[in-house]
Amino acid sequence: MEQYDIIIIGTGAGGGTLLHALKDCGKKILVLERGTFLPREKENWDSVAVFQQDRYHTSEVWKTSEEKDFHPQTGYWVGGNTKVYGAALFRLREKNFESVTHFDGVTPEWPLKYADFEPFYTEAEKLYDVHGRMGDDPTEPFRSGEYPYPPLAHEPRIQELHDALQARGLHPFCLPIGVKRNEKDPLNSPCIRCDTCDGFPCLLHAKADADINCVRPSLQQAQVTLMTEMQATRLLTNASGTSIKAVEASRNGEKFVFSADLVVLAAGAVNSAILLLRSATDLHPGGLANGSGLVGRNLMKHHNAAMLAISTKPNPTRFQKTLAVNDFYWGDADFNFPMGHIQLMGKSNKDQISPDAPFFTPGLVLEEMAGHSVDWWFTAEDLPSPENRVTLQGGQIHIQYTESNTRGLERLQDTWSHILRESDDASHFIPHSIYLKKDIPLQGLAHQCGTCRFGTDAASSVLNTDCRTHQLDNLYVVDGSFFPSSGAVNPSLTIMANALRVGKRLVELFK
Ligand SMILES: Cc1cc2nc3c(=O)[nH]c(=O)nc-3n(C[C@H](O)[C@H](O)[C@H](O)COP(=O)(O)OP(=O)(O)OC[C@H]3O[C@@H](n4cnc5c(N)ncnc54)[C@H](O)[C@@H]3O)c2cc1C
């Protein structure tokens, strides 16, 4: 058994960022990652390989509560899902940390507030090269300073839309995005503003992800060891069940055991909960850290939807992910409940839209549709429910999820279609794919969170406010599972900021 000071399990937005925060603390750190480094290959930018053949998603099969098999749209790589994310890096709004009344219920108050996170959001934006401009988003929370980099400019078609929306009295703003781009010096910028960013791995390593921005730089430290293709399979406790003494892992069927004084779980909201449940003992029969019975419960993943706004005008935009709208985030004059967030997606092409089009649609028609579409992404909040949960049955991951609170998203889509029809000469709209609707399988788990919520009360939360489990004194969880509610903006920056917060706390404790 090899002995370390700290073991971190997983290298995504949470684990990779925590590694960055701890890399200089002088401790001997072992990082266990079940994936490999994502290969640089032509397929990185091949829409068929990425979207139709699921090249970068796991081949694992999970089950719904109706015992239906599905492949989750999640990837196991150094850098986790940030390898393919769109790098839209948003702060939650101040009010998201409070209890908010929604159409279908009320979200819980967070044990910490926006002010507690603000310095770490600022640090995370620097760490992840975020480009943006303060003051334009009408729901923007307090910021202690400007974004580290200026926003990416809109291309002409998007600028035209921006101006049309602004002329209607709306407040379109520059989407905060983490890429390595200097608009004043494009020739020397790693990012070339291509149309293979959102959902694709970056062949140029120009997207600010947890691998490129955190894990690789941390490996310069002699104290840091990364083991790839090493899947943590079980956490082992001491005899009294109060601490983790070792982590069992497996690589190509071979079993390994590593021990450490402190263990941090950052395997993603589904897999972290599963590892805790899988590690049940006589003293922890319901799974580790599960005194509250909440491990795996309150799974959230947002109500996400995409819409192609197909116009008579061609859309030659390449890098489309530059604009967002939050005018309806908290509702509108006739709907006094949160509706959600709107942003542009990466520019779609025929191969991306063909799986959702009727099978008989000719390729040329698909090409025309994609060539004339502006592609929108909607995010609305799903409510935490103890019945929405991750369980382990017969060694297989089961996801039980019943939708609620979808009215805000529906209204947001209707409102947006109406506005676009009036402000742009878009002749009609085709709903492209609406994830997480009842008739669609649960594979769209990109924004999974909430399965180990943090709080001050051990009876109603899994983690304390340091993200340490209430029951095991050396076990922390720093991925998306700590969220008590999910807000309606992309989750990664909050996961990163929280990892920096926990990292700072741990360094203080070591001192
Ligand atoms: C296509 C796509 C686009 C997205 N776009 C955005 C966006 O624009 N903005 C945004 O904020 N978010 C976006 N997201 C969501 C974002 O990627 C996730 O919210 C974020 O990566 C979650 O961070 P995490 O640390 O919780 O988990 P992950 O990033 O998934 O990291 C978990 C890590 O744990 C590893 N792991 C899992 N199990 C084990 C185990 N047993 N042993 C060892 N290692 C293990 C995994 O391989 C992985 O490295 C997107 C996601 C997808 C899929």
Side-chain angles (χ1 to χ4, degrees):
M1 195 188 316
E2 292 176 50
Q3 174 69 33
Y4 292 85
D5 295 319
I6 304 169
I7 292 177
I8 300 175
I9 300 170
T11 57
T17 310
L18 182 77
L19 176 63
H20 163 85
L22 297 182
K23 69 179 193 306
D24 300 320
C25 74
K27 299 283 180 188
K28 195 175 163 201
I29 303 174
L30 172 65
V31 184
L32 302 178
E33 169 52 57
R34 71 185 282 177
T36 59
F37 284 97
L38 193 143
R40 290 178 95 177
E41 51 185 10
K42 275 174 80 172
E43 286 85 350
N44 287 176
W45 284 356
D46 178 341
S47 306
V48 174
V50 173
F51 292 103
Q52 294 185 20
Q53 296 166 352
D54 281 328
R55 187 173 180 85
Y56 303 108
H57 290 149
T58 173
S59 55
E60 272 183 330
V61 178
W62 296 358
K63 271 195 193 300
T64 67
S65 47
E66 294 85 35
E67 297 288 317
K68 282 197 193 134
D69 288 345
F70 71 97
H71 289 289
Q73 288 176 349
T74 196
Y76 300 133
W77 305 105
V78 176
N81 282 291
T82 69
K83 287 311 288 180
V84 296
Y85 76 166
L89 292 173
F90 272 96
R91 300 174 176 213
L92 287 170
R93 325 285 90 177
E94 281 112 334
K95 224 167 100 181
N96 287 132
F97 292 79
E98 308 296 337
S99 176
V100 176
T101 302
H102 288 251
F103 188 74
D104 270 351
V106 178
T107 52
E109 187 183 346
W110 287 42
L112 298 178
K113 300 298 170 186
Y114 176 79
D116 299 306
F117 277 78
E118 202 286 333
F120 302 103
Y121 274 130
T122 300
E123 201 184 324
E125 285 172 347
K126 279 193 194 121
L127 180 61
Y128 282 94
D129 304 306
V130 182
H131 295 246
R133 183 171 53 224
M134 70 189 267
D136 295 348
D137 172 357
T139 65
E140 183 176 74
F142 160 76
R143 301 180 54 92
S144 52
E146 185 47 279
Y147 282 91
Y149 298 96
L152 294 196
H154 302 309
E155 292 179 39
R157 175 75 175 108
I158 304 307
Q159 185 65 47
E160 183 183 81
L161 251 170
H162 168 275
D163 296 346
L165 295 170
Q166 211 169 44
R168 282 185 69 102
L170 293 170
H171 304 86
F173 61 95
C174 296
L175 179 72
I177 192 146
V179 289
K180 298 173 190 303
R181 170 93 185 166
N182 179 351
E183 292 280 61
K184 291 198 179 125
D185 189 10
L187 287 181
N188 290 309
S189 289
C191 168
I192 58 168
R193 290 188 63 125
C194 67
D195 55 0
T196 43
C197 184
D198 196 3
F200 294 85
C202 181
L203 188 51
L204 303 176
H205 285 178
K207 181 151 65 180
D209 64 35
D211 165 27
I212 301 299
N213 285 43
C214 291
V215 178
R216 291 186 202 216
S218 301
L219 294 177
Q220 305 300 319
Q221 293 288 354
Q223 295 284 81
V224 175
T225 304
L226 168 68
M227 293 190 186
T228 58
E229 295 180 272
M230 189 63 87
Q231 179 179 356
T233 48
R234 197 177 172 85
L235 307 178
L236 307 175
T237 66
N238 60 2
S240 55
T242 52
S243 299
I244 302 296
K245 68 167 196 224
V247 178
E248 228 174 60
S250 152
R251 179 190 264 164
N252 302 324
E254 193 182 344
K255 198 167 133 184
F256 296 79
V257 181
F258 306 101
S259 77
D261 298 334
L262 192 141
V263 174
V264 185
L265 198 44
V270 169
N271 278 297
S272 284
I274 286 295
L275 201 47
L276 292 172
L277 296 173
R278 200 191 291 280
S279 304
T281 63
D282 288 347
L283 288 172
H284 298 275
L288 296 186
N290 203 13
S292 62
L294 290 177
V295 170
R297 293 188 186 266
N298 297 304
L299 171 70
M300 294 166 282
K301 48 201 167 72
H302 281 150
H303 297 309
N304 286 321
M307 183 176 80
L308 264 68
I310 299 177
S311 161
T312 48
K313 269 189 198 159
N315 180 12
T317 306
R318 289 182 77 83
F319 191 86
Q320 188 173 250
K321 229 171 151 56
T322 57
L323 183 143
V325 176
N326 271 339
D327 290 85
F328 308 101
Y329 194 86
W330 297 117
D332 63 20
D334 302 320
F335 186 79
N336 196 18
F337 302 102
M339 282 160 67
H341 162 75
I342 304 169
Q343 68 181 242
L344 283 170
M345 301 163 60
K347 183 67 208 86
S348 66
N349 62 32
K350 77 170 170 49
D351 296 320
Q352 281 163 269
I353 66 176
S354 68
D356 299 307
F359 72 94
F360 46 80
T361 316
L364 215 59
V365 172
L366 291 173
E367 218 159 281
E368 279 297 296
M369 282 165 65
H372 286 74
S373 71
V374 176
D375 314 81
W376 298 96
W377 181 257
F378 303 91
T379 299
E381 190 163 355
D382 54 345
L383 303 178
S385 157
E387 301 315 317
N388 287 344
R389 62 188 296 207
V390 182
T391 56
L392 191 64
Q393 294 175 34
Q396 193 174 23
I397 296 176
H398 283 233
I399 306 283
Q400 182 173 321
Y401 185 88
T402 306
E403 292 210 335
S404 69
N405 203 40
T406 54
R407 189 69 201 101
L409 173 67
E410 286 153 16
R411 196 174 165 92
L412 187 65
Q413 289 172 298
D414 289 349
T415 304
W416 200 238
S417 308
H418 178 75
I419 287 175
L420 289 181
R421 273 200 180 87
E422 284 194 356
S423 37
D424 187 40
D425 63 351
S427 50
H428 56 275
F429 305 95
I430 298 181
H432 166 33
S433 54
I434 299 173
Y435 297 135
L436 310 181
K437 286 287 176 196
K438 270 194 185 109
D439 52 341
I440 305 243
L442 295 180
Q443 73 263 33
L445 282 157
H447 292 185
Q448 59 184 267
C449 61
T451 52
C452 299
R453 60 160 59 160
F454 78 153
T456 48
D457 175 11
S460 60
S461 57
V462 176
L463 310 173
N464 70 11
T465 51
D466 288 344
C467 285
R468 200 195 74 202
T469 60
H470 287 298
Q471 269 103 33
L472 291 125
D473 57 21
N474 66 345
L475 178 62
Y476 290 73
V477 185
V478 298
D479 50 31
S481 44
F482 82 99
F483 283 42
S485 64
S486 66
V489 288
N490 313 59
S492 294
L493 194 74
T494 302
I495 300 173
M496 294 157 176
N498 184 57
L500 293 173
R501 184 183 71 82
V502 174
K504 182 168 183 245
R505 181 81 186 115
L506 288 174
V507 171
E508 280 164 10
L509 289 175
F510 298 148
K511 282 181 188 157

